[in-house]
Amino acid sequence: MLLSHFGLVLTSTCLLCLGEVPGRVRVAVRLRPRNAEESVADADFADCVELQPELKRLKLRKNNWDADTYEFDEVLTEFSSQKRVYEVVARPVVESVLDGYNGTIMAYGQTGTGKTYTLGRLGEEDNAARGIMVRAMEDILADVSLETDSVSVSYLQLYMETIQDLLDPANDNITIVEDPKTGDVSLPGASLVDIRDKQSFVELLRLGEAHRFAANTKLNTESSRSHAILMVHVKRSVKGIDAALSSENGNHPHMVKSIKPPLVRKGKLVVVDLAGSERIDKSGSEGHTLEEAKSINLSLSALGKCINALAENSAHVPFRDSKLTRLLRDSFGGTARTSLVITIGPSPRHRGETASTIMFGQRAMKVENMVKLKEEFDYKSLSRRLDIELDKLIVEHERQQKAFEDEIERLSTEAQHRISEAERNYVDSLEKERSKYQKDYMESIKKLEEQFVMNQQKNEESHMKLSGEIPRVSAEELADLKKMLRKETHLRKAAEGEVNNLKIQVAELKKSEASRKSEILKLHTMLEDKERQKEKLEGEIAILQSQLLQLSLEADETRQQLDRGGFEKEMGGLNSLTSQVKHQQQASGNGEKPSIAKLFEQVGLQKILSLLEAEDADVRIHAVKVVANLAAEETNQGKIVEAGGLTSLLNLLKSSQDETIHRVAAGAIANLAMNETNQELIMAQGGISLLSLTAANAEDPQTLRMVAGAIANLCGNDKLQTKLRSEGGMKALLGMVRCRHPDVHAQVARGIANFAKCESRASSQGNLCKQLAKSHIFIMITLIGSLK
């Protein structure tokens, strides 16, 4: 059943930042075992590092008798499994992402120390060798519900200070977009692929690795020459937050009391496989590989500077020195929960690189992030649900309306059938009674005539005797006559009684007929009431659709404002939105209408113009009135024409049959025609032909006045004189003299005067000017005569 009133109450903000929690960057160190080359070259030397995993310490030997000790959050020996590394380094971050936080997992270290092995190993040959990327996606897919949640990934590489899409190699120059207020970084040009299962994710990783740049150096046969960045976006619905629909009994059943949109949490996991730092003399890079190494070292140096500044609480952090630091702005000193694994080798020949890596990790442990949980209301889902509910209500209303109409039609048909049957019975009964009494009456008359003839014959026979005696009537004959007379009187009284009975029956039948007519009248009244209710409900549907559109626009605007502002601004936006909705609902209930300017600012010109093509005639009428009012202000005319408003108005004149739409659209065109540039656009789009056709079909004086005003404004343009004559503009203007309304005549006279001025400027004392002057005089005489 259609809702007679539909109220929307939005009780929360679009975006909730639920507190800030300090979170230090966690750093784990992982030692790679000796490789075959180191086993031979360093066979006589001890490892440069000594691990104490139970104390979470690492000793870096300076020489055989002295060493420096460092503490980390986790110390992973060369015997630590991939599962152990994932459990201590990545799982806490993945769980935070599933709870709605942003998280970063990053590997840093010298070339060939196992960064890509730690993060990106697919484990297809050995399942236990799976890296952090694959294991993280396994946990994410196991925890989310694909029916209500979504998981999508982007896979990128930063190569020579250009961001390239590993899933779409043709997209090789992606720009970084930063919010000027919040500093949030996004990559709108990157591919975003939905993930439904682990196998599809592994295929994407394999595809990305195939497109990643690598080279053979002295330190690593497959050295990564770019920084790989995997971004996993997780969107989850919060359980227990559903839209509430309640109803109450009374005049308005199924009243919607409040609507709460679904609550979702969005977390982003960023996994960064940094290219290895290297010394040119040790890696043996040359040519293009040398340029790649320089670019890698520059970006890593910029990252180190940022971490140093954050560790020392410097007022300025040089994030903009490199695209790498811009991408990792949220990971260090931002709102993400960050875990860093630094990879080192045991060889004493690379003690300098190992010491540099350890010091990088020590400085990173001093960086503090402010972790934020963000919850967002899904207004799109709410809008879809409301649309579905509205469609159901409309269908139910139409079904009940049709059932009601069918029932009324059935009752009307049945009543008509009963009335017809009663009328037939009454006519048949009346005809039978009339025939019966007619027959009795004729028989009585016949008997009386026979008796009269017999008596007359007897009297004649008596007179023929002429005996001079007074004829005597015997007592028996006199008694017979009296008896016959009484009989005839009795028959007449009986006939009169039957006639009275028939009159009573006729009166009762007429009374019954009147009662049935009264019932039919009541049914017609009920039908009219239902029609009025239907019109009222359709109006309320239109209002509801308008409110949904306006609330959707306001929700989008509020979401944008809240994304740029902090918690206090968000609460202020909430109060502003709530008060504005209540104010508009109160104004709508009191019969007040918001100003055209305010509607223009809130809804936007494109939304208003789109309503000109609505299927509902009432919506089109209201929309064209709004456009006409906006066109009355010179500052709005250019915006209306640029947005296609003039074309829409001309299309209404062409396609619509509604007199009101013709009148208001012609008025709006008349307002736009006051601008010379708009006049030429009107003529170029066939406007004068449409105005002429509208004038020919219009009967309403106000419509003719608006059309005449529009043509009169066009007559004031010197460049349009020829087109006005050739396309029937002047003929249409002169034809509107048929209407005897003074306002129409005034506009016609103004148009002729404008036309005459232009012609007189264009042609001095020419034949055309003379003809126009004659026509002008004739029209003025006609106008004066019609006014009289």
Side-chain angles (χ1 to χ4, degrees):
M1 186 172 184
L2 191 64
L3 302 178
S4 58
H5 292 280
F6 200 93
L8 292 178
V9 180
L10 301 179
T11 59
S12 299
T13 61
C14 279
L15 188 65
L16 301 178
C17 292
L18 302 180
E20 297 183 354
V21 180
R24 179 177 60 78
V25 175
R26 289 179 53 83
V27 180
V29 60
R30 187 181 192 186
L31 177 64
R32 171 182 59 78
R34 289 192 178 194
N35 54 31
E37 189 268 337
E38 290 173 343
S39 298
V40 175
D42 300 333
D44 297 331
F45 300 95
D47 292 346
C48 67
V49 292
E50 178 185 349
L51 303 184
Q52 296 176 336
E54 65 280 358
L55 299 178
K56 298 183 179 180
R57 291 178 182 176
L58 175 148
K59 288 185 177 182
L60 178 64
R61 291 192 178 93
K62 295 181 179 180
N63 46 49
N64 292 334
W65 58 86
D66 191 13
D68 294 328
T69 302
Y70 302 96
E71 292 185 358
F72 290 94
D73 293 304
E74 292 291 341
V75 174
L76 303 168
T77 68
E78 65 270 31
F79 304 109
S80 297
S81 66
Q82 291 281 71
K83 180 178 180 182
R84 169 65 179 166
V85 174
Y86 174 76
E87 292 292 336
V88 299
V89 174
R91 182 181 289 278
V93 178
V94 174
E95 291 175 349
S96 297
V97 171
L98 290 171
D99 290 336
Y101 296 92
N102 289 343
T104 301
I105 303 170
M106 187 170 69
Y108 178 91
Q110 183 188 9
T111 298
T113 55
K115 298 183 297 300
T116 303
Y117 177 84
T118 300
L119 295 180
R121 190 64 179 263
L122 300 182
E124 294 178 306
E125 298 178 356
D126 183 5
N127 195 47
R130 304 189 314 278
I132 288 176
M133 290 182 181
V134 177
R135 293 177 184 270
M137 183 56 67
E138 289 175 353
D139 282 355
I140 291 173
L141 292 175
D143 196 69
V144 301
S145 172
L146 295 180
E147 295 180 357
T148 58
D149 306 336
S150 65
V151 180
S152 55
V153 300
S154 298
Y155 200 14
L156 314 166
Q157 70 174 351
L158 178 60
Y159 175 73
M160 301 286 287
E161 282 301 300
T162 60
I163 301 175
Q164 303 176 6
D165 195 336
L166 290 175
L167 304 180
D168 182 11
N171 190 8
D172 59 358
N173 191 14
I174 301 173
T175 58
I176 300 175
V177 178
E178 294 186 25
D179 190 301
K181 291 185 177 181
T182 64
D184 292 340
V185 176
S186 61
L187 301 171
S191 300
L192 194 63
V193 181
D194 290 335
I195 300 299
R196 309 290 294 179
D197 52 57
K198 171 189 170 182
Q199 187 59 35
S200 62
F201 176 69
V202 172
E203 292 296 331
L204 287 179
L205 290 182
R206 185 184 294 108
L207 175 64
E209 287 298 323
H211 295 146
R212 189 176 178 186
F213 288 98
N216 185 5
T217 67
K218 292 181 179 180
L219 297 178
N220 190 357
T221 57
E222 294 182 1
S223 176
S224 300
R225 315 309 291 169
S226 65
H227 306 300
I229 304 167
L230 175 70
M231 294 184 179
V232 182
H233 302 268
V234 181
K235 180 179 179 182
R236 306 193 68 187
S237 297
V238 179
K239 297 180 180 179
I241 307 297
D242 296 322
L245 298 177
S246 60
S247 62
E248 62 179 4
N249 296 327
N251 296 329
H252 308 289
H254 301 285
M255 180 79 72
V256 176
K257 301 301 290 183
S258 64
I259 292 179
K260 294 182 181 179
L263 190 63
V264 296
R265 290 179 178 173
K266 290 184 177 181
K268 181 174 71 173
L269 174 63
V270 179
V271 183
V272 184
D273 181 10
L274 295 174
S277 60
E278 61 185 42
R279 291 183 180 179
I280 306 302
D281 55 346
K282 290 188 177 182
S283 64
S285 300
E286 57 184 13
H288 184 67
T289 307
L290 177 61
E291 296 300 321
E292 292 175 339
K294 290 179 180 179
S295 176
I296 292 171
N297 288 337
L298 284 174
S299 61
L300 293 177
S301 176
L303 177 61
K305 290 179 181 179
C306 291
I307 290 179
N308 287 341
L310 290 169
E312 297 171 359
N313 292 323
S314 176
H316 172 68
V317 181
F319 282 114
R320 303 190 65 82
D321 288 357
S322 169
K323 288 187 177 180
L324 176 63
T325 54
R326 292 174 66 188
L327 288 173
L328 297 178
R329 185 170 186 172
D330 192 48
S331 302
F332 293 97
T335 62
R337 191 180 301 278
T338 301
S339 184
L340 171 67
V341 55
I342 59 173
T343 57
I344 59 176
S347 175
R349 289 179 297 158
H350 304 304
R351 183 187 179 284
E353 288 80 358
T354 301
S356 176
T357 301
I358 292 173
M359 294 309 300
F360 180 89
Q362 288 289 300
R363 289 190 294 270
M365 289 178 66
K366 298 179 182 179
V367 178
E368 288 281 348
N369 291 351
M370 298 303 293
V371 183
K372 290 183 181 179
L373 172 64
K374 294 183 179 181
E375 292 183 342
E376 180 180 352
F377 286 132
D378 191 356
Y379 282 97
K380 292 182 179 180
S381 175
L382 172 63
S383 178
R384 289 194 298 269
R385 190 169 62 201
L386 289 177
D387 288 339
I388 294 172
E389 184 67 20
L390 184 59
D391 291 340
K392 289 181 179 178
L393 293 173
I394 292 175
V395 171
E396 178 65 17
H397 167 70
E398 292 177 349
R399 185 190 65 79
Q400 293 187 1
Q401 182 69 18
K402 187 176 184 303
F404 175 77
E405 292 175 355
D406 292 343
E407 182 66 16
I408 293 298
E409 184 178 359
R410 186 186 67 78
L411 292 175
S412 178
T413 303
E414 184 178 351
Q416 190 67 32
H417 177 71
R418 290 181 180 179
I419 291 172
S420 300
E421 185 177 359
E423 289 178 349
R424 287 196 302 271
N425 294 337
Y426 168 72
V427 171
D428 293 343
S429 177
L430 187 63
E431 182 65 25
K432 289 180 181 180
E433 293 294 332
R434 190 187 66 79
S435 300
K436 177 182 176 183
Y437 288 107
Q438 182 72 21
K439 182 178 179 182
D440 293 342
Y441 174 73
M442 294 302 295
E443 290 179 354
S444 300
I445 293 298
K446 185 176 180 181
K447 289 180 179 180
L448 289 174
E449 287 178 351
E450 292 176 353
Q451 186 66 34
F452 177 74
V453 171
M454 292 176 62
N455 291 335
Q456 191 175 9
Q457 290 176 355
K458 288 180 179 181
N459 290 333
E460 288 178 355
E461 291 177 355
S462 299
H463 284 296
M464 289 176 61
K465 293 180 179 181
L466 298 175
S467 57
E469 297 180 356
I470 298 175
R472 295 181 179 179
V473 179
S474 64
E476 294 179 356
E477 291 178 349
L478 183 60
D480 290 339
L481 288 172
K482 288 181 179 181
K483 185 177 180 181
M484 292 176 63
L485 184 58
R486 285 194 299 271
K487 185 177 180 181
E488 289 299 327
T489 303
H490 178 71
L491 290 174
R492 182 176 293 277
K493 289 181 178 180
E496 290 176 354
E498 292 293 335
V499 171
N500 290 333
N501 290 334
L502 289 175
K503 288 182 178 179
I504 293 172
Q505 293 180 5
V506 170
E508 291 178 352
L509 289 174
K510 288 183 177 180
K511 184 177 180 181
S512 176
E513 182 181 1
S515 175
R516 291 188 177 90
K517 288 183 177 179
S518 175
E519 291 180 359
I520 293 174
L521 181 60
K522 289 180 180 179
L523 291 176
H524 283 298
T525 304
M526 290 175 63
L527 282 175
E528 293 175 356
D529 291 340
K530 290 299 180 181
E531 286 295 329
R532 285 193 295 270
Q533 290 180 4
K534 180 180 179 182
E535 293 176 358
K536 181 179 179 181
L537 293 174
E538 290 175 350
E540 291 172 354
I541 291 173
I543 293 173
L544 173 60
Q545 291 173 343
S546 175
Q547 289 178 350
L548 285 175
L549 173 62
Q550 190 167 357
L551 286 173
S552 178
L553 292 172
E554 292 171 352
D556 291 340
E557 183 178 358
T558 304
R559 184 186 299 109
Q560 294 174 2
Q561 293 176 355
L562 293 175
D563 286 340
R564 301 188 188 102
F567 179 75
E568 294 177 358
K569 292 185 179 180
E570 292 163 0
M571 292 305 296
L574 167 63
N575 296 332
S576 174
L577 175 60
T578 305
S579 61
Q580 186 175 5
V581 172
K582 290 181 178 178
H583 174 72
Q584 290 182 355
Q585 291 178 348
Q586 182 179 3
S588 177
N590 295 333
E592 300 175 357
K593 295 181 179 178
S595 65
I596 297 300
K598 185 175 181 181
L599 182 62
F600 184 31
E601 294 175 358
Q602 293 181 348
V603 178
L605 183 58
Q606 288 294 345
K607 290 292 183 180
I608 297 174
L609 294 179
S610 66
L611 295 177
L612 294 176
E613 301 176 1
E615 296 182 359
D616 193 330
D618 291 337
V619 174
R620 291 200 304 273
I621 291 173
H622 288 302
V624 76
K625 287 182 179 179
V626 172
V627 175
N629 289 328
L630 291 174
E633 297 183 11
E634 186 176 356
T635 56
N636 297 331
Q637 292 178 0
K639 298 177 181 178
I640 293 174
V641 174
E642 290 177 2
L646 176 58
T647 304
S648 299
L649 292 170
L650 293 174
N651 289 336
L652 284 177
L653 290 181
K654 181 178 180 181
S655 61
S656 177
Q657 303 296 326
D658 191 278
E659 186 80 8
T660 302
I661 291 180
H662 285 176
R663 179 175 69 253
V664 182
I669 294 172
N671 290 334
L672 295 175
M674 290 188 283
N675 181 282
E676 183 175 349
T677 303
N678 296 342
Q679 292 173 357
E680 295 178 359
L681 290 174
I682 292 172
M683 295 297 294
Q685 297 183 24
I688 191 63
S689 301
L690 294 174
L691 290 170
S692 302
L693 181 61
T694 303
N697 296 332
E699 297 294 338
D700 180 27
Q702 296 304 321
T703 303
L704 292 173
R705 179 173 70 87
M706 295 298 181
V707 176
I711 297 177
N713 290 337
L714 296 174
C715 288
N717 193 324
D718 297 342
K719 303 176 183 178
L720 307 179
Q721 302 300 303
T722 303
K723 285 189 175 182
L724 284 169
R725 291 194 300 272
S726 62
E727 296 183 10
M730 294 307 300
K731 181 178 179 181
L733 187 65
L734 297 177
M736 281 184 276
V737 176
R738 74 181 188 277
C739 177
R740 296 184 176 273
H741 198 281
D743 292 342
V744 179
H745 291 172
Q747 294 297 329
V748 173
R750 184 170 68 86
I752 294 174
N754 291 340
F755 192 84
K757 289 178 183 178
C758 294
E759 287 291 346
S760 63
R761 288 195 297 266
S763 173
S764 59
Q765 302 299 327
N767 293 332
L768 184 59
C769 187
K770 293 179 182 179
Q771 294 176 3
L772 183 61
K774 292 179 182 180
S775 300
H776 187 194
I777 295 171
F778 174 74
I779 293 302
M780 294 303 295
I781 293 173
T782 305
L783 289 174
I784 295 171
S786 64
L787 289 174
K788 291 182 179 180

